Amino acid sequence: MQNVYAMRPEVRAEFAEVRARLAGDTAFLTRLERFYTELRDPLVALYGDDPRFPAQLAALLDAMAASAAARDPELRRLDHEREITPDWLQREQAVGYVCYADRFGGTLAGVRERLAYLRELGVTYLHLMPLLRARPEPNDGGYAVADYGAVEPALGTMDDLRELARELRAHGMALCVDVVLNHTAREHAWAQAALAGDPGKLAYYRTFADRTEPDAYERTLPDVFPDIAPRSFTWEPQLERWVWTTFNAYQWDLDYTNPEVFRATAEVVLGLAGAGVDVLRLDAVPFLWKRLGTDCQNQPEVHQILQALRAMARIAAPAVGFKAEAIVAPAQLVTYLGTGRHEGKECDLAYNNVLMALLWSALASGRVALMTRVLATMPAVPAGAGWVTYVRCHDDIGWTITPEDAAAVGEDAHLHRRFLADFYAGDFPGTFARGARFQVDAASGEARTSGTTASLAGLEAALAGGEPVALELAVRRILILHAVAFAHGGLPLIYMGDELGLRNDLAWAEEPHHAADNRWMHRPRMDWAAAERRSVPGTVEAALWDGLRRLIGARIRTRATHAQGAGEPLWTGNDHVYGLVRTFAGERLLVLASFSAEEQRVPRALAGDHGLALTDASAAPDGRPLRIAGDEIVLAPYQLLWAAG
Ligand code: OTU
């Protein structure tokens, strides 16, 4: 029978040669045939005219065949399982946790010893922050990788990583690891060879003899770290050239116009897949391709690179998923999940940074109109992919509120962004937050925000003030943020310590090389004494832990939280109460979430209109009783109601 995935004649001829040359088992060869076009088409578009390309493509195919042949039998079983369960990352059962291996468990072996804690919470997906061998500090929290083939020695070895992946797998948990494709450390062997005069390795990076091109690019380039690492190019005396450094001076941007760079980084991906990593977090992925006269983000070629990587993984290691870290506007963000004719062919997951920032905007203002408006106009998640939803992560919060969205709800975008920066820095009348400004824009007074969830949500101030009511409100704020993230659909991530209300690390600036970067304030070390208190009734830790457990329980009991479900914000008629309706596979969910410290009322008909009844069970995830007064629902401060059916 003719293969249903008929190739174009010229590709079939090319494939016949590839097929004749490559050995492999039936499964590998079937996948190779199925996805060959998806691998080579974007690469031909990127590099077809480059004389270096044919050799690089051949080398890549060899590496894929070798990696598939060496694949651990357990991973092959997983390949099969996930091929027949393509929504494995979209399911309502998925709950993620993010931590630094050293700050959580000391070493990878230490993390392994702490897995019972994560299982107790209900975690099924563990994202460990960068763990490959980095340059010595400063190394941007590990995002300046010196060796993609080795684990940071203080954390352990590649064998420890394999062992951790195996243990997680045995408990039905997936492991996510960062892969930094945009740049390497200046200390990476490629950069070191370039510094030593190897022209082939110099061509891995973007370097310039004089300022002509850097100046031309900088006319339209945004500055990512204006305070800690101004501008985007660094003079390298040893090379007597300017090096493209989007982030810190020691992070050298790779040049993806060079097909050898694609092949080399693709092999990094294969290596991590072989170690048993389930999901790769593709760091800073919008920046991979540069184009003069643009902001050098989200260029079409970035998507071709991702499509080729995805096809490669589907052929050589189909159990592996990709998560895009693209902190960009909704229209661009959704394209990382594969849209139009690329549906299902790019990343499995992408961070919903839009929801994250809106949650904090709603919390500060106590008003949900902006969140409702932006989420209602956000593109739907494409088939075969899902959002990662989250409240906090290791980075700052960027306040990307557009003038159009602000105007639609009667706000001024600049003033609102300024308000959020001030409010969360603890510089606004009546603020409950204790965070800090990150990368202040002197001209506008706008800034991004640092701080842990607990400190931003008022727990730090409440503990200092000793007011029980303030403490209760802070706990409720933390829970309501998580409730919306857990209900929204997609894979929710809990950032380490948020389950216990860990406050800002007061000593962050005293650690060597951290003082210039206040993101370290919200990267505290795990407080295992606080973790013990999760079982002591009446403590903040128990309140948060139990609250999150209830949310996880509610989430996994309704299919409506599946990433592929349809979700619509619901205008409740009350600007302080957020509404959300989701449906999937015949199941329905209505969520009402108060963002107010006062009692609020919404019409009781909201539930009936959606074919759902509010019962005592609807109040269970929150823990406070359901109150109905006549034809109104009365919500306590920051109360959550959750009706599934
Ligand atoms: C990422 O963040 C990481 O999350 C950061 O911790 C790193 O410092 C950085 O890359 C460099 O490796 O600009 O402010 O659109 O926003 O990649 C953080 C994506 C960042 C960028 C994001 C980047």
Side-chain angles (χ1 to χ4, degrees):
M1 199 177 91
Q2 173 75 30
N3 188 316
V4 283
Y5 307 111
M7 292 175 181
R8 303 192 303 279
E10 76 277 14
V11 180
R12 176 148 298 282
E14 180 186 303
F15 178 72
E17 284 174 38
V18 168
R19 172 70 189 76
R21 192 166 57 78
L22 293 187
D25 59 25
T26 314
F28 171 74
L29 293 172
T30 306
R31 296 193 305 254
L32 181 66
E33 182 164 0
R34 166 66 181 89
F35 296 116
Y36 182 73
T37 307
E38 291 181 19
L39 171 67
R40 60 81 75 188
D41 279 3
L43 293 178
V44 169
L46 288 168
Y47 307 119
D49 297 332
D50 191 313
R52 298 169 292 186
F53 176 57
Q56 294 305 319
L57 178 60
L60 176 66
L61 289 162
D62 289 340
M64 287 163 57
S67 125
R71 199 149 166 82
D72 182 292
E74 240 187 80
L75 297 178
R76 284 167 195 267
R77 208 163 36 243
L78 211 57
D79 288 340
H80 182 57
E81 189 181 306
R82 290 180 183 162
E83 279 174 324
I84 60 174
T85 318
D87 68 341
W88 67 281
L89 282 169
Q90 299 155 24
R91 300 201 141 210
E92 61 280 8
Q93 293 96 335
V95 176
Y97 191 85
V98 189
C99 62
Y100 288 88
D102 58 340
R103 296 184 164 230
F104 179 73
T107 62
L108 294 183
V111 170
R112 198 141 53 82
E113 282 163 26
R114 297 289 188 181
L115 293 188
Y117 174 82
L118 298 179
R119 293 210 306 279
E120 185 188 325
L121 185 55
V123 169
T124 64
Y125 170 105
L126 176 62
H127 171 204
L128 292 179
M129 297 298 296
L131 51 75
L132 298 180
R133 191 169 74 74
R135 78 193 292 272
E137 293 227 58
N139 57 32
D140 192 17
Y143 284 106
V145 179
D147 184 353
Y148 294 96
V151 165
E152 179 63 38
L155 296 176
T157 63
M158 267 296 178
D159 280 336
D160 292 330
L161 184 63
R162 268 187 213 99
E163 198 45 53
L164 176 62
R166 197 172 302 134
E167 175 113 3
L168 284 164
R169 215 176 301 130
H171 293 293
M173 296 161 92
L175 174 63
C176 171
V177 166
D178 275 90
V179 55
V180 188
L181 298 179
N182 180 67
H183 45 268
T184 74
R186 184 184 178 276
E187 288 66 24
H188 189 284
W190 301 335
Q192 289 299 305
L195 287 168
D198 175 344
K201 289 300 185 288
L202 185 65
Y204 272 41
Y205 299 95
R206 290 182 165 266
T207 67
F208 307 90
D210 58 45
R211 284 292 310 181
T212 315
E213 284 185 79
D215 285 343
Y217 278 110
E218 277 188 343
R219 276 195 273 279
T220 53
L221 269 181
D223 203 350
V224 181
F225 296 144
D227 297 347
I228 52 185
R231 320 278 290 268
S232 300
F233 300 87
T234 302
W235 176 250
E236 178 52 64
Q238 221 174 309
L239 290 175
E240 297 197 325
R241 294 176 76 81
W242 292 90
V243 181
W244 196 310
T245 55
T246 297
F247 298 94
N248 291 290
Y250 51 78
Q251 289 163 306
W252 289 20
D253 285 47
L254 288 161
D255 183 359
Y256 278 87
T257 64
N258 180 349
E260 196 174 326
V261 167
F262 176 84
R263 196 266 309 144
T265 53
E267 286 188 18
V268 168
V269 168
L270 290 176
L272 290 169
V277 173
D278 298 279
V279 176
L280 294 168
R281 175 192 180 275
L282 306 177
D283 181 59
V285 78
F287 297 86
L288 296 189
W289 197 274
K290 329 292 189 198
R291 174 166 283 113
L292 195 62
T294 72
D295 62 359
C296 295
Q297 290 188 55
N298 312 308
Q299 296 301 306
E301 291 83 353
V302 168
H303 295 285
Q304 293 173 318
I305 293 168
L306 291 175
Q307 287 149 19
L309 285 176
R310 178 76 194 278
M312 173 193 78
R314 291 179 106 176
I315 296 168
V320 170
F322 287 133
K323 175 167 66 170
E325 193 251 346
I327 308 306
V328 298
Q332 279 90 44
L333 177 59
V334 72
T335 61
Y336 288 88
L337 293 176
T339 48
R341 65 195 174 88
H342 302 298
E343 208 168 81
K345 297 179 181 172
E346 221 167 297
C347 294
D348 302 84
L349 298 168
Y351 285 84
N352 195 332
N353 68 288
V354 182
L355 172 67
M356 182 277 295
L358 289 167
L359 284 170
W360 289 103
S361 152
L363 195 76
S365 63
R367 299 171 58 185
V368 303
L370 183 64
M371 175 158 74
T372 305
R373 137 106 199 172
V374 178
L375 294 179
T377 53
M378 192 149 167
V381 76
W387 295 122
V388 164
T389 63
Y390 62 115
V391 171
R392 257 333 255 121
C393 73
H394 70 290
D395 280 330
D396 51 289
I397 308 174
W399 304 113
T400 46
I401 288 141
T402 67
E404 300 72 44
D405 288 330
V409 296
E411 298 257 6
D412 175 89
H414 157 67
L415 291 180
H416 188 57
R417 293 192 299 255
R418 175 74 201 253
F419 158 69
L420 292 168
D422 294 350
F423 186 92
Y424 284 112
D427 263 353
F428 196 85
T431 184
F432 47 73
R434 294 291 180 271
R437 293 182 184 82
F438 180 71
Q439 311 298 300
V440 183
D441 181 60
S444 66
E446 292 183 23
R448 285 133 72 181
T449 292
S450 285
T452 66
T453 296
S455 291
L456 296 180
L459 192 63
E460 186 175 324
L463 286 167
E467 271 283 329
V469 176
L471 202 60
E472 163 77 8
L473 288 176
V475 166
R476 292 293 174 183
R477 284 189 204 104
I478 296 171
L479 290 174
I480 204 69
L481 294 172
H482 284 88
V484 177
F486 277 59
H488 181 277
L491 169 62
L493 299 185
I494 299 167
Y495 183 61
M496 189 201 83
D498 287 353
E499 74 280 18
L500 303 169
L502 291 196
R503 272 87 66 208
N504 293 338
D505 181 351
L506 295 177
W508 66 271
E510 287 153 34
E511 296 196 33
H513 309 292
H514 290 182
D517 186 346
N518 71 20
R519 291 177 299 171
W520 286 101
M521 98 178 13
H522 53 257
R523 300 168 181 175
R525 287 187 173 68
M526 187 54 167
D527 181 345
W528 289 106
E532 287 302 312
R533 291 195 290 275
R534 72 188 184 278
S535 46
V536 180
T539 61
V540 164
E541 291 82 4
L544 288 170
W545 181 271
D546 294 345
L548 283 180
R549 292 273 306 129
R550 286 195 303 267
L551 282 175
I552 293 173
R555 176 187 151 81
I556 67 180
R557 274 195 296 275
T558 171
R559 299 225 67 201
T561 57
H562 190 287
Q564 282 284 301
E568 272 299 324
L570 172 73
W571 182 244
T572 62
N574 179 334
D575 195 9
H576 308 291
V577 181
Y578 179 68
L580 170 72
V581 179
R582 286 190 65 79
T583 52
F584 181 73
E587 295 192 28
R588 225 176 253 279
L589 171 67
L590 165 72
V591 163
L592 298 174
S594 169
F595 278 75
S596 166
E598 317 278 320
E599 195 172 276
Q600 297 295 333
R601 288 162 187 257
V602 296
R604 190 179 179 177
L606 284 176
D609 289 351
H610 292 89
L612 289 162
L614 284 168
T615 64
D616 287 342
S618 314
D622 178 273
R624 286 169 291 182
L626 172 69
R627 275 178 60 204
I628 307 274
D631 53 9
E632 287 184 322
I633 306 162
V634 184
L635 290 116
Y638 304 108
Q639 189 172 6
L640 166 74
L641 292 174
W642 177 292

